Amino acid sequence: MKPIRLPEPPGSPPRGVPDIFEGGVYGVVKRAIIIGNGFQASENQSIGLVRALGFSERQTLYRVTRPRGGVNEWLHWLPVSLHKQIYYIIRLIYGYSRVLFTSRGKRVQSLAGENGGSVGLSSILEADVRSIVTMAKGTAEKDGPLLVVACGRDTISIASSIKRLASDNVFVVQIQHPRTQLSRFDLVVAPQHDYFALTPLAQEQVPRFLHKWITPDEPPNKNVVLTVGALHQVDSAALRSAAITWHDEFAPLPKPLIVVNIGGPTRRCRYSMDLAKQLTTYLRDVLDSCGSVRISFSRRTPDKVAAIVRKELKDLPKVYVWNGEEPNPHMGHLAWADAFIVTADSVSMLSEACSTGKPVYVVGAERCKWKFSEFHKALRERGLVRPFTGLEDMSESWSYPPLNDTAEAANRVHEALADRGWRLRP
């Protein structure tokens, strides 16, 4: 229902009118929910966008969960709802069979545990379409429309169902390309390299009879926001805060401070101990021009890769390897580093580093293929990164316009809301 604008009294001067007569609460978005999938890299993108829109204090995280372990590792490619149904049936038939529900010595996690209950995050709610739709409709008159931000394959069906069932009360943003039926969402935020399948090079690499099965199968439309990399939470305010928090630890370190972020191999960026040996050899070659070197590993880093790095660099006084214990120095590294060396597998780590405007060197890009190679090509063409060769003078600084994907995506959300007659009031 569209609110009625009351006429001004005759002869009264123009003046501002309350929200209720200027689109009312019906057109003012004051709250947001995030549909997560339990993976930090995906949820970080949604949280970053919501933060950039000013909803840091007015957001609720819902999470889509899958049972894991044992037979579930063979079912995770199914739609999440179908996976849960099959899992439930198997449990009814076989109970808690160790063969079916144990993987590598670990018993399958309960849904409550996966959803944060075992790590102090019991407030994270299960992403149930019916309850979210009921909440959005039931509170619309009082609290206005609901912004829904989702990221990851398992969130697609949830977010699109919320849009379908409560389209008048929600604005749904899906991060990462949903592959088909973009009209199911109000806005899609996707990296440019997700469209690599449509490029002439990709079409040459794929047999012709498979072309119609490659997705996405059409160019982006006006409801698609293209980014270079991944969205994240790193902005100037976050860096200033981290600089203060980590001042006592990082300020005294000899300069330049070089931060090395090591990820893990993926299907599109394959490597093993060979890359670890290459990296440590190159680091030794540039150590004379470094003041300090801080190294950290991601959750995906294989133990054998981390072991080689520690072994090869353990006796070097300039080098410190983070032991994985809290607090995580990642934000401190971003704030205080003079330059970064990042393995090519992680779009998230590279996107965050490139948002600082500081030198970023990439190791292992030649091992990446398909859309990951397109991502690295885009970074190089914009002057955001350089390959790490071991010949660099790490005291030499260079800069570029920082990568600002999150802020640009937030601006597009504002524009899309305005086209609908809505606006944000954080």
Side-chain angles (χ1 to χ4, degrees), residues 156 176-182 184 194-195 215-217 371:
I156 292 172
Q176 295 183 341
H177 203 289
R179 302 308 177 197
T180 59
Q181 297 179 302
L182 302 185
R184 292 178 291 169
D194 270 1
Y195 283 90
T215 57
D217 54 5
K371 68 178 184 178

Side-chain angles (χ1 to χ4, degrees), residues 343-360:
T343 55
D345 55 89
S346 178
V347 175
S348 297
M349 289 194 302
L350 283 166
S351 299
E352 290 177 342
C354 290
S355 72
T356 67
K358 302 172 185 178
V360 179

Side-chain angles (χ1 to χ4, degrees), residues 162-366:
I162 293 171
K163 167 66 177 174
R164 176 173 54 84
L165 297 172
S167 58
D168 292 337
N169 308 113
V170 297
F171 187 91
V172 179
V173 181
Q174 183 71 37
I175 301 173
Q176 295 183 341
H177 203 289
R179 302 308 177 197
T180 59
Q181 297 179 302
L182 302 185
S183 60
R184 292 178 291 169
F185 311 95
D186 292 294
L187 207 63
V188 172
V189 180
Q192 295 175 0
H193 57 263
D194 270 1
Y195 283 90
F196 175 67
L198 298 182
T199 64
L201 177 61
Q203 295 293 310
E204 291 176 4
Q205 296 175 355
V206 177
R208 185 171 296 276
F209 73 92
L210 291 177
H211 282 185
K212 67 177 181 178
W213 303 105
I214 299 296
T215 57
D217 54 5
E218 58 184 20
N221 60 30
K222 64 178 183 179
N223 291 332
V224 176
V225 179
L226 291 179
T227 65
V228 175
L231 306 188
H232 51 76
Q233 300 184 61
V234 180
D235 56 19
S236 57
L239 291 175
R240 283 194 298 268
S241 177
I244 295 171
T245 301
W246 292 91
H247 176 274
D248 292 347
E249 181 165 348
F250 292 129
L253 294 178
K255 299 290 186 177
L257 169 59
I258 310 302
V259 167
V260 182
N261 290 328
I262 301 174
T266 67
R267 191 161 53 97
R268 300 300 186 187
C269 285
R270 295 188 181 276
Y271 62 84
S272 185
M273 295 178 288
D274 53 345
L275 185 66
K277 292 177 181 178
Q278 175 186 333
L279 174 59
T280 55
T281 298
Y282 289 175
L283 278 174
R284 284 180 174 273
D285 291 341
V286 301
L287 205 56
D288 287 343
S289 61
C290 300
S292 308
V293 177
R294 302 268 306 200
I295 299 176
S296 63
F297 305 105
S298 77
R299 296 178 180 180
R300 296 186 298 103
T301 308
D303 291 340
K304 57 187 178 182
V305 170
I308 287 179
V309 173
R310 289 192 173 97
K311 177 183 177 182
E312 295 295 325
L313 304 176
K314 65 179 180 179
D315 297 326
L316 301 177
K318 289 185 178 182
V319 179
Y320 171 81
V321 181
W322 179 48
N323 59 12
E325 296 180 1
E326 295 295 335
N328 189 326
H330 180 62
M331 287 302 299
H333 285 167
L334 290 170
W336 282 95
D338 295 296
F340 301 92
I341 300 170
V342 185
T343 55
D345 55 89
S346 178
V347 175
S348 297
M349 289 194 302
L350 283 166
S351 299
E352 290 177 342
C354 290
S355 72
T356 67
K358 302 172 185 178
V360 179
Y361 297 93
V362 180
V363 59
E366 69 281 358

